[in-house]
Amino acid sequence: MRVGWVVALCAAALVVPSAAYATPKQQDAASSQPQSSSSKHAKQKYSHANDFLIRGTVFTEKSLSFPGVQLRIRRSGEKKFRWEDQTNSRGEFAIRVPQGTRYEMVVHAKGFADQARTIDARNGSGENNVVFRMEPVKRGK
């Protein structure tokens, strides 16, 4: 049984890519070929270095942390929400958005009135701390 494993490991070690067998002239020719046009104009990766961090906490009307509350964020003046999240088990959240504009944040929980805040991410420290205190929906009879 052990011999089978040893043979399999030796066979795996002997498998070498074909590029390793190329002569130095072939390797130089392959590396000097121009790149394709699609790789020249490749989209650069987005860096979060200049993002604006919106963090905060959501509480109930009795000042208890409120887990599972839905958070939605959109740019001011837009109809479509672009970012969504939920509060964690301690009622906390943190969302990164691009800096340089104003945002509207809407907090929603079943049985509670929605709350909205405007967040100004045009300038500043790159961070904003927000606290929400949810109020139950008043049901009139």
Side-chain angles (χ1 to χ4, degrees), residues 2-136:
R2 288 185 185 177
V3 175
W5 281 102
V6 172
V7 171
L9 289 174
C10 290
L14 294 176
V15 176
V16 180
S18 61
Y21 292 116
T23 64
K25 288 182 182 179
Q26 291 171 338
Q27 289 176 350
D28 290 341
S31 63
S32 66
Q33 289 180 356
Q35 295 178 345
S36 67
S37 62
S38 62
S39 63
K40 284 183 182 178
H41 302 290
K43 187 175 179 181
Q44 291 187 356
K45 291 186 177 180
Y46 180 79
S47 171
H48 293 284
N50 296 324
D51 279 357
F52 191 82
L53 179 64
I54 303 171
R55 69 165 78 183
T57 311
V58 180
F59 295 100
T60 65
E61 77 281 5
K62 297 177 182 177
S63 298
L64 301 172
S65 62
F66 203 161
V69 175
Q70 180 186 30
L71 310 159
R72 297 184 304 174
I73 299 175
R74 63 182 167 204
R75 290 185 176 99
S76 292
E78 288 186 356
K79 293 182 179 182
K80 181 181 176 184
F81 287 97
R82 294 186 181 250
W83 298 271
E84 289 189 11
D85 200 6
Q86 288 188 344
T87 57
N88 65 10
S89 61
R90 296 178 299 213
E92 300 169 340
F93 63 89
I95 302 172
R96 289 190 182 276
V97 293
Q99 196 164 350
T101 188
R102 286 187 179 186
Y103 295 96
E104 181 183 1
M105 180 176 206
V106 178
V107 179
H108 172 77
K110 188 174 182 179
F112 291 84
D114 288 356
Q115 291 190 22
R117 298 264 170 85
T118 301
I119 311 278
D120 189 4
R122 291 181 292 183
N123 52 26
S125 66
E127 188 172 316
N128 193 4
N129 197 5
V130 185
V131 176
F132 290 95
R133 185 169 181 215
M134 302 299 287
E135 296 292 330

